[in-house]
Amino acid sequence: MIQTNKKGNWFEITVPVEWEKYTVETLFKDFWKAPKKLVHTFRMEKGVLLNGQLPDWTLPLRKSERLSVKLFTEEESSYVPQYLNVEVLYEDDHLIVFNKPAGMDTHPNEDGQTGTLANAAAFHMQASGEVNRPRHIHRLDRDTTGAVLFAKNPLIAAILDKMLEERSIKRIYLALADGIIRQKKGTIDKPIGRDRHHPTRRRVSETGQHAITHFKVLEKLKQKNLTLVQCTLDTGRTHQIRVHFSSIGHPLAGDELYGGSDAFYRQALHAAKMEFTHPFTQEKIICHAPFIDEEPIFINIDPNEI
């Protein structure tokens, strides 16, 4: 793990030996894959120091040098801070992972909207004395529960966005599908596009975006005519798991939009686990999201065993 420290507005990293192959410039560009515009801003505003001095961005880094980045500057949040009872699964100076309950949007869909996870994140940061704007890295549907990742500053947000795009942030979902799925595991590889006849629904479409869902059957609940499945995604399309399972004749229980039964009070989908390597500390972060619903079908599964 790389040694780091927060000093006022500055984030300080002790350069590890494995970074000696980088310059300051290539650390930002090739290792963190930070956007050019953001790196340019750091340079112009003298927001990067090496051993307390303005660095030569082209010289190789050396082990034990102190790299400082001005990350913790005040920003006005675009979300109305609001206290909501939401569990924090992991938090440090740079990011937060929340366990989103059902019936809550990830972020406002119109100006001034409250009651969303982003409002809760803004309040949580403000209450901790952090005057920064939370940025959601991905989202879950309103009635899908589980782990959602937020960034606390523009640099970590840009890095995490790139990691999500490259699928180095791994997420595992649990779902209850209608009917009994016979195979033990499988892959659904079907493109997904908008449904012209419905404002929010998606559908499998030849002209849609590439979408791949892998699944493994965990339990066949024959008395209830349901199958508990574990899912991982190679792509992150809107409603992907819901659309894919509906397309193979096994819509998620409770998912009225895609033809699911009333065996569950909402679409039975939970983001149970998130795993990634922290961009700054290189620490492996693993978050298990406990089930919030008092629903015995989900409660019987131990998230730590996923």
Side-chain angles (χ1 to χ4, degrees), residues 1-63:
M1 193 168 105
I2 295 172
Q3 185 179 343
T4 64
N5 195 13
K6 181 179 180 180
K7 291 187 175 179
N9 292 338
W10 293 84
F11 172 58
E12 186 177 281
I13 307 173
T14 302
V15 174
V17 66
E18 57 266 31
W19 284 7
E20 289 189 334
K21 62 185 176 183
Y22 296 108
T23 64
V24 175
E25 185 171 8
T26 58
L27 183 72
F28 276 88
K29 176 187 169 187
D30 299 331
F31 183 70
W32 285 329
K33 299 177 183 176
K36 289 181 181 178
K37 186 176 179 181
L38 185 58
V39 176
H40 179 73
T41 300
F42 278 124
R43 293 184 77 152
M44 292 299 100
E45 296 182 357
K46 301 178 180 178
V48 177
L49 301 176
L50 194 62
N51 301 319
Q53 305 293 321
L54 290 175
D56 183 331
W57 284 63
T58 63
L59 292 179
L61 294 166
R62 290 179 299 190
K63 181 188 173 186

Side-chain angles (χ1 to χ4, degrees), residues 52-84:
Q53 305 293 321
L54 290 175
D56 183 331
W57 284 63
T58 63
L59 292 179
L61 294 166
R62 290 179 299 190
K63 181 188 173 186
S64 300
E65 288 187 311
R66 291 179 295 108
L67 179 70
S68 302
V69 186
K70 197 173 185 180
L71 289 185
F72 308 114
T73 52
E74 291 192 4
E75 300 177 279
E76 187 175 337
S77 178
S78 52
Y79 307 124
V80 178
Q82 181 186 16
Y83 173 75
L84 297 166

Side-chain angles (χ1 to χ4, degrees), residues 89-90 97 138 147 149 160 163-164 167-172 232 271-279 283-289 303-304 306:
L89 301 176
Y90 175 84
V97 182
H138 61 104
L149 176 61
L160 291 172
M163 288 172 64
L164 190 74
R167 298 295 149 202
S168 54
I169 299 175
K170 297 176 182 176
R171 290 175 287 162
I172 295 178
T232 56
K273 183 180 179 182
M274 181 182 295
E275 184 176 334
F276 59 95
T277 299
H278 197 293
E283 180 184 8
K284 189 106 168 186
I285 307 296
I286 300 175
C287 296
H288 295 278
N304 295 300
I306 295 169

Side-chain angles (χ1 to χ4, degrees), residues 196-268:
R196 290 176 298 164
H197 307 292
H198 196 284
T200 57
R201 193 164 52 207
R202 301 295 194 271
R203 65 184 182 90
V204 167
S205 166
E206 289 184 5
T207 58
Q209 293 179 297
H210 182 56
I212 296 178
T213 302
H214 304 285
F215 70 89
K216 179 171 70 174
V217 170
L218 298 181
E219 192 175 351
K220 296 176 182 178
L221 305 162
K222 292 182 179 179
Q223 288 184 331
K224 295 178 181 286
N225 195 34
L226 297 169
T227 304
L228 180 65
V229 292
Q230 175 180 309
C231 306
T232 56
L233 310 180
D234 283 358
T235 50
R237 308 304 175 204
T238 299
H239 297 179
Q240 180 172 319
I241 293 172
R242 300 166 64 188
V243 173
H244 271 170
F245 276 88
S246 179
S247 76
I248 63 169
H250 295 282
L252 301 193
D255 193 353
E256 293 181 7
L257 189 61
Y258 293 104
S261 70
D262 61 0
F264 205 73
Y265 76 95
R266 60 172 175 90
Q267 72 245 14

Side-chain angles (χ1 to χ4, degrees), residues 95-109:
L95 53 92
I96 320 175
V97 182
F98 291 100
N99 190 12
K100 189 183 87 64
M104 179 183 286
D105 289 325
T106 300
H107 56 84
N109 295 307

